[in-house]
Amino acid sequence: MLTHVRAQLGKALFHRVAGPDGPAARVRIHHTPGPRWFGPDRPIRTVHGDASMFIGGLSALLLQSLHPLAMAAVAAHSGYRGDPWGRLQRTSTFLAVTTYGTAADAQQAVDHVRRIHQRIRGTTPEGIAYHAADPHLLGWVHAAETDSFLRAHERFGARPLDAAGYDAYVADTARVAEALGVTDPPRDRRELAEVLDAYRPELRVTAQARAAARFLLLQPPLPLPARPFYAGLAANAVALLPPWARGVLWLPRLPVVEDIAVRPAGQALTRTIRWAMTPPPRSRPS
């Protein structure tokens, strides 16, 4: 019975994250022979393959929304409200291909994203022009994402890395960032913190950012039975944000509640996701 529950939960989670083409994509990504951008011992494989990414991904979206130009581009072009699961599946597939796929497939995925970015232009509600291919804007999206994934893995990962390992993770992500068009991305944790600090004068909460936060935290496109579990992930995504980002987003901090209830819930949820999505070991024939 427990094995059946595990299999069904894992299948449902994988379908949500990877979409109907997920099984075929997984075979192609992991089993196609050829050189990879990252070898099996690289930290990016450890971080991106962990259940902590469920929390890190939500936290990254909240943090990224604080740049008005990035948020305006997302609001106008990403379709996150009309097709949130499709957006998630495209993002997760891109991460999987660039992290685990062949070098040729990784480059093809990057080239596809760059073509899309070239077409995305517009203006904010205040009339400021943006272009998704702008290296400066791409730099913010990359830094916010990398910091969020790193923080989530450090807190909820099955095997947290040491300081050198997380520096190497930042260096690994810089390989993908440069391919996407980011100029001189950070290559260790110290540089990552400096980059995030340098963007802070440009950051503010907009009506579009508040709407995105409400959608992500309060109006997820999920059936009612699944919402309490999602709420646990969302609460931990908020708790993971840097204090200054929470202040900008007007998200309160309740240290006692977070320490006693929120973080333990996040640990339990990530352990459950990890258990469900990891195939049980095959028993040896007697």
Side-chain angles (χ1 to χ4, degrees):
M1 182 64 179
L2 190 60
T3 301
H4 176 73
V5 170
R6 180 180 191 171
Q8 291 301 110
L9 179 57
K11 183 178 179 180
L13 287 169
F14 183 74
H15 180 78
R16 282 291 191 184
V17 173
D21 298 328
R26 179 164 56 186
V27 171
R28 176 175 59 82
I29 291 167
H30 292 280
H31 298 294
T32 301
R36 263 74 177 163
W37 281 359
F38 306 105
D41 60 335
R42 293 307 303 171
I44 193 171
R45 286 182 166 236
T46 301
V47 174
H48 290 179
D50 192 83
S52 60
M53 291 285 284
F54 281 75
I55 293 175
L58 275 172
S59 194
L61 292 174
L62 292 169
L63 187 57
Q64 289 167 343
S65 76
L66 293 179
H67 198 295
L69 301 186
M71 188 62 239
V74 168
H77 301 277
S78 77
Y80 79 91
R81 283 184 174 275
D83 184 24
W85 294 113
R87 185 172 189 267
L88 171 64
Q89 290 154 12
R90 290 188 293 273
T91 301
S92 68
T93 300
F94 177 83
L95 285 169
V97 171
T98 52
T99 302
Y100 306 103
T102 64
D105 276 354
Q107 187 61 56
Q108 186 177 30
V110 164
D111 291 343
H112 176 69
V113 170
R114 293 194 70 156
R115 287 193 295 270
I116 293 172
H117 285 169
Q118 284 295 336
R119 298 197 299 266
I120 296 177
R121 299 173 183 267
T123 57
T124 69
E126 296 79 19
I128 303 172
Y130 62 78
H131 183 200
D134 175 7
H136 183 71
L137 199 56
L138 289 170
W140 162 251
V141 172
H142 167 70
E145 178 181 272
T146 300
D147 186 66
S148 299
F149 291 167
L150 190 158
R151 284 170 175 266
H153 190 269
E154 189 174 42
R155 183 171 296 183
F156 299 108
R159 297 182 301 278
L161 305 175
D162 59 15
Y166 283 122
D167 280 345
Y169 169 68
V170 177
D172 284 349
T173 65
R175 168 72 176 86
V176 182
E178 282 189 318
L180 284 169
V182 177
T183 303
D184 193 23
R187 299 184 184 279
D188 59 35
R189 200 168 187 180
R190 178 187 59 80
E191 290 183 3
L192 178 60
E194 291 173 354
V195 167
L196 289 169
D197 283 343
Y199 276 99
R200 283 186 62 178
E202 304 173 33
L203 307 180
R204 61 185 177 85
V205 66
T206 62
Q208 291 171 326
R210 290 194 193 97
R214 283 195 300 271
F215 180 78
L216 289 170
L217 300 177
L218 303 177
Q219 302 164 342
L222 288 167
L224 287 176
R227 291 195 178 191
F229 302 99
Y230 178 88
L233 295 175
N236 277 281
V238 170
L240 199 65
L241 289 167
W244 58 265
R246 292 180 65 165
V248 174
L249 279 167
W250 301 349
L251 295 171
R253 185 171 187 271
L254 304 171
V256 175
V257 174
E258 289 178 8
D259 291 342
I260 293 176
V262 173
R263 186 176 295 194
Q267 291 166 341
L269 286 166
T270 49
R271 281 196 298 266
T272 301
I273 293 168
R274 192 176 297 119
W275 170 79
M277 298 192 74
T278 303
R282 294 181 179 179
S283 58
R284 294 181 179 180
S286 58

